[in-house]
Amino acid sequence: MSKPLDQSRMDKIVSLAKRRGFIFPSSEIYGGLNGFWDYGPLGVTLKRNLKDAWWHDMVAGHDELAAPAGAPAPYEMAGLDCTIIMHPQVWKCSGHFDLSNDWMIDCRESKRRYRYDHLTGRWAAHRDKRTFVTTDASGDDVPAELAARAQKFFGLRAKQVDEIAWEGEPTPLPAAVAAGVTLADSLGPDASAPGSLTAPREFNLMFETRIGAVAGGDDDRAFLRPETAQGIFVNFKNVLDTSRVRVPFGICQIGKSFRNEITPRNFTFRSREFEQMEIEFFCRPADSAAWYRYWRDRRWRWYLDLGLTASRLRLREHDRDELSHYSCGTADIEYAFPFLAAGEFGELEGIAHRGDFDLRSHMEGKLVRRDGDLVVETGADGKPRHRGSGKDLSYFDDVSRERYVPHVIEPSAGADRAVLAFLCDAYHEDEVPDEDGKPRSRTVMKLHPRLAPVKAAILPLVKKDGMPELAGELYRSLKRQMTCQYDEKGSVGRRYARQDEAGTPWCLTVDGQSLADRTLTLRDRDSLVQERVPLDEVPGLLRDRLT
Ligand code: ATP
């Protein structure tokens, strides 16, 4: 594995997340459950603010009368909330049932589990010993990792590495096995002797469950959704028939998804239960390339507007050979998480041009590409492998007077990954003067005010002389408009430090002067500037700064 960019920074973020009640391991008192996380009092509000910002910016606050900057035309947006368990046929037609199977391989010696297709190997020999050395490293790291593994296995010193005789090129393990390499000859990535790798096993990424009190035959089988998108496709006609939307329009959904990830890792980045924020945008086929570009750029700007550091964000267009078989274009918005190696980025959101693949799949049955065309996949008997709904999901465009199956642009974001990116980005360590003017190091979460769980803290300088009463008055009037906290415990410096770690953008301190003239100090978390402002103007002032 490549070295992380800044593991110590990541460790501090994970520790702060736990200590301050952003994120806890699920069922922690029983030792936690790998790939599952709970959001604590600050975390739940941060995540809710993030989802609210998405919902507001994409759906509720969308102006459907005018084309936003960069959009080919005005458009409409509608919301939806679907069930997690859906008809099993949905997953058969969408391709998830057949496709979401990954192969995994276990090492009996190291007890580690690997994705079969992530292992690479090469024959190495020294004197009378010969083995197929494997590694789970990727890209440019592979040759050096293989050399290090072989050196260890043959018990060589660094200067003897050249004595190793290599055969063939580094090859993905599945291809090597197909060409005759046996697992008995293979040295696992973390094993000391060959033969510890188990045969690859299929691992279904969808969590399976049974419907009904008595689990019986195959008819009761159901799945927890691995994405929210399919609920939107199967409701396309319902939304069209019951609201006044016309193409072009989008349907948005936020909800839980479940994937039985083989190796959950990197804090919440790869979880088994997570939340998605998905848009399916339906448009005329001829206009779809322009809409794809619009959504790619619009979603990219959304992260920047909420304050993610531009130099840590990357918009990556997929190469043609990376595209799914139905896609005419896909871009990922990626973030340089501190747990990744320098130069590596992790996906926050994918924006995919999906053509008419999804609606047609749910009409006709599971599709595959043959000779460049999407056709219904058939079994040995010539019948559709997975039968569609047979419902007509085409659209009659009364402006162009044509009937077509709309094309789809899908911006698909993960709420948990976004929260993690905003937490990582917000984490700062700097120095501030304490009450005596001496420099004191502080940890501060520079969250965008829209995302910050607590917008303002109200702090009476001392617990007497009428200050708590005046501060309490402000707290009650401000609380009606935004999340705020009242804190009278400890020195003001300690209270500032607590709020800095929680990411609170503003602290309002009521002091002796406040009692005389109803003014207070407003401290800005990032600039540390303290202004004197009239207490009665605070709600209006903060409201303006929040938008
Ligand atoms: P990856 O390649 O990282 O597994 P993906 O390409 O499978 O991701 P999509 O199917 O496009 O992801 O899902 C859309 C979004 O959902 C992702 O960009 C990510 O933000 C989120 N997501 C997907 N899988 C997970 C997961 N296991 N844990 C947390 N978020 C996830």
Side-chain angles (χ1 to χ4, degrees):
M1 290 255 193
S2 317
K3 287 211 173 42
L5 188 60
D6 197 345
Q7 189 59 47
S8 76
R9 180 181 163 82
M10 194 59 217
D11 293 344
K12 287 185 202 167
I13 292 165
V14 172
S15 134
L16 181 136
K18 170 80 203 298
R19 181 161 44 82
R20 294 310 317 266
F22 281 99
I23 300 173
F24 309 127
S26 161
S27 335
E28 197 185 6
I29 59 167
Y30 288 102
L33 190 61
N34 198 9
F36 296 89
W37 299 93
D38 293 339
Y39 287 79
L42 286 180
V44 66
T45 314
L46 170 62
K47 190 172 178 189
R48 183 167 300 237
N49 291 346
L50 178 103
K51 291 186 286 179
D52 284 351
W54 184 91
W55 192 264
H56 174 270
D57 297 347
M58 298 302 120
V59 196
H62 170 65
D63 173 359
E64 51 191 44
L65 302 181
Y75 62 89
E76 295 169 280
M77 296 296 269
L80 193 69
D81 184 33
C82 307
T83 58
I84 284 168
I85 295 176
M86 300 171 69
H87 195 292
Q89 200 63 16
V90 169
W91 308 113
K92 293 188 172 160
C93 290
S94 71
H96 287 88
F97 184 80
D98 292 340
L99 270 186
S100 80
N101 292 328
D102 278 342
W103 291 82
M104 52 162 220
I105 198 160
D106 288 315
C107 175
R108 282 183 285 258
E109 184 190 326
S110 68
K111 306 281 178 256
R112 287 194 55 190
R113 175 172 291 169
Y114 311 95
R115 264 190 48 185
Y116 189 36
D117 60 344
H118 282 184
L119 300 188
T120 308
R122 193 178 183 192
W123 280 111
H126 185 257
R127 306 222 169 111
D128 54 348
K129 276 171 101 180
R130 184 171 176 264
T131 185
F132 191 76
V133 183
T134 68
T135 174
D136 60 347
S138 56
D140 296 343
D141 295 336
V142 169
E145 279 294 318
L146 288 176
R149 300 281 307 115
Q151 180 194 337
K152 193 161 176 212
F153 175 65
F154 295 123
L156 304 177
R157 281 196 288 266
K159 61 180 182 197
Q160 292 176 288
V161 165
D162 292 344
E163 294 173 15
I164 300 171
W166 294 99
E167 294 166 36
E169 291 302 315
T171 311
L173 190 57
V177 167
V181 171
T182 65
L183 292 174
D185 284 331
S186 303
L187 176 69
D190 299 284
S192 59
S196 64
L197 293 176
T198 62
R201 282 183 295 156
E202 211 174 13
F203 200 83
N204 197 318
L205 281 183
M206 284 199 292
F207 280 97
E208 199 175 316
T209 186
R210 298 270 168 186
I211 296 178
V214 185
D218 234 25
D219 291 351
D220 313 332
R221 275 178 91 194
F223 303 93
L224 306 192
R225 66 180 173 199
E227 60 171 39
T228 57
Q230 297 305 321
I232 299 181
F233 295 125
V234 300
N235 275 293
F236 167 74
K237 212 166 152 36
N238 278 340
V239 174
L240 201 59
D241 291 349
T242 56
S243 56
R244 39 182 203 96
V245 291
R246 310 300 302 154
V247 167
F249 72 95
I251 305 179
C252 308
Q253 168 159 232
I254 298 180
K256 290 263 187 175
S257 291
F258 301 80
R259 295 184 192 174
N260 203 356
E261 299 277 3
I262 297 168
T263 42
R265 60 173 171 260
N266 293 331
F267 202 21
T268 56
F269 181 83
R270 189 168 300 287
S271 306
R272 288 179 164 141
E273 175 174 344
F274 54 96
E275 264 183 291
Q276 291 185 307
M277 310 185 290
E278 295 199 293
I279 303 173
E280 305 303 328
F281 189 81
F282 302 94
C283 60
R284 216 168 131 233
D287 304 331
S288 61
W291 282 112
Y292 165 67
R293 286 191 294 276
Y294 166 70
W295 278 108
R296 181 196 59 195
D297 298 345
R298 171 121 166 73
R299 292 300 307 147
W300 163 257
R301 266 200 326 277
W302 190 76
Y303 291 97
L304 291 177
D305 289 347
L306 281 174
L308 275 194
T309 307
S311 60
R312 295 206 192 108
L313 263 187
R314 176 169 89 168
L315 183 68
R316 189 177 68 85
E317 286 276 356
H318 286 208
D319 297 332
R320 279 230 76 80
D321 55 354
E322 260 188 284
L323 296 180
S324 320
H325 53 288
Y326 45 76
S327 182
C328 320
T330 295
D332 287 343
I333 298 174
E334 302 175 329
Y335 182 76
F337 287 97
F339 50 76
L340 297 172
E344 283 186 10
F345 290 77
E347 177 181 328
L348 282 182
E349 169 161 354
I351 299 101
H353 180 305
R354 297 178 63 93
D356 57 8
F357 176 81
D358 305 279
L359 290 178
R360 274 189 57 204
S361 303
H362 289 302
M363 284 197 277
E364 302 166 26
K366 190 193 161 200
L367 300 176
V368 284
R369 188 172 291 282
R370 193 157 304 137
D371 302 328
D373 290 327
L374 284 173
V375 295
V376 175
E377 188 181 358
T378 46
D381 55 3
K383 292 191 181 145
R385 185 165 150 69
H386 297 303
R387 201 175 287 282
S389 67
K391 299 282 184 297
D392 181 8
L393 302 179
S394 68
Y395 172 82
F396 182 71
D397 193 323
D398 36 24
V399 180
S400 66
R401 314 290 309 160
E402 44 177 346
R403 180 167 286 284
Y404 52 80
V405 177
H407 276 200
V408 167
I409 313 300
E410 177 189 79
S412 168
D416 307 79
R417 283 199 191 166
V419 165
L420 185 57
F422 281 106
L423 279 177
C424 292
D425 215 67
Y427 184 92
H428 284 81
E429 290 169 1
D430 60 13
E431 281 196 341
V432 294
D434 68 10
E435 275 131 287
D436 306 323
K438 294 209 193 80
R440 173 181 68 76
S441 60
R442 75 164 178 167
T443 301
V444 52
M445 297 299 281
K446 295 190 176 178
L447 290 165
H448 190 285
R450 282 182 79 190
L451 299 182
V454 180
K455 310 299 182 202
I458 295 119
L459 321 171
L461 187 62
V462 289
K463 263 195 274 183
K464 56 182 185 187
D465 302 336
M467 289 182 215
E469 288 73 18
L470 192 58
E473 183 193 319
L474 174 63
Y475 167 75
R476 272 178 223 106
S477 81
L478 204 55
K479 187 103 193 180
R480 281 198 287 271
Q481 300 184 17
M482 62 190 72
T483 320
C484 55
Q485 269 183 3
Y486 175 87
D487 187 4
E488 57 175 29
K489 287 195 206 89
S491 72
V492 167
R494 288 181 85 94
R495 284 182 267 166
Y496 283 157
R498 270 202 290 274
Q499 297 300 335
D500 286 343
E501 277 196 344
T504 308
W506 301 293
C507 283
L508 303 154
T509 307
V510 171
D511 54 18
Q513 191 183 331
S514 313
L515 302 171
D517 64 5
R518 286 183 74 82
T519 64
L520 44 70
T521 56
L522 169 59
R523 171 189 182 264
D524 183 279
R525 176 196 68 198
D526 300 342
S527 67
L528 295 171
V529 168
Q530 305 216 12
E531 342 163 36
R532 195 93 212 158
V533 295
L535 185 145
D536 300 312
E537 289 176 19
V538 165
L541 199 80
L542 295 193
R543 222 178 26 243
D544 290 349
R545 290 189 188 183
L546 264 173
T547 45

